[in-house]
Amino acid sequence: HAHSWLHRMPPGKEAVLVLVGDCGGTNTRLQLYAVSPSATVTTGAKAPGDLVYEKHYLNAAYGGFEEVVKLFLKEANASST
């Protein structure tokens, strides 16, 4: 339930979640930001908004990128409660 992160936003301030990552051969680094819907998100630039959660994974421990992302989202959601 990704929306639980949005409960941290001040009243009246809307946000969308933006997942950013650096995926290489050895490591995957993922970050989740709460971003204003009016913000401009630019490929290759730091995400605007507030960092909600971040984690680093060793790729050899997982079956693929999809598995890492699913775990990241599950862990991020658990950290918000």
Side-chain angles (χ1 to χ4, degrees):
H1 301 106
H3 297 289
S4 60
W5 294 299
L6 301 182
H7 294 253
R8 296 182 186 178
M9 300 302 292
K13 183 175 180 183
E14 294 182 18
V16 294
L17 295 175
V18 175
L19 175 66
V20 297
D22 176 9
C23 308
T26 305
N27 301 298
T28 296
R29 293 169 185 84
L30 297 174
Q31 297 178 320
L32 192 64
Y33 285 85
V35 178
S36 166
S38 63
T40 301
V41 178
T42 305
T43 301
K46 183 181 179 297
D50 300 316
L51 179 64
V52 175
Y53 187 75
E54 65 181 332
K55 187 142 182 201
H56 168 255
Y57 299 88
L58 295 174
N59 293 340
Y62 303 95
F65 180 69
E66 183 177 345
E67 183 179 340
V68 172
V69 172
K70 285 180 180 179
L71 177 60
F72 172 79
L73 292 173
K74 181 179 178 180
E75 292 173 341
N77 192 49
S79 78
S80 71
T81 56

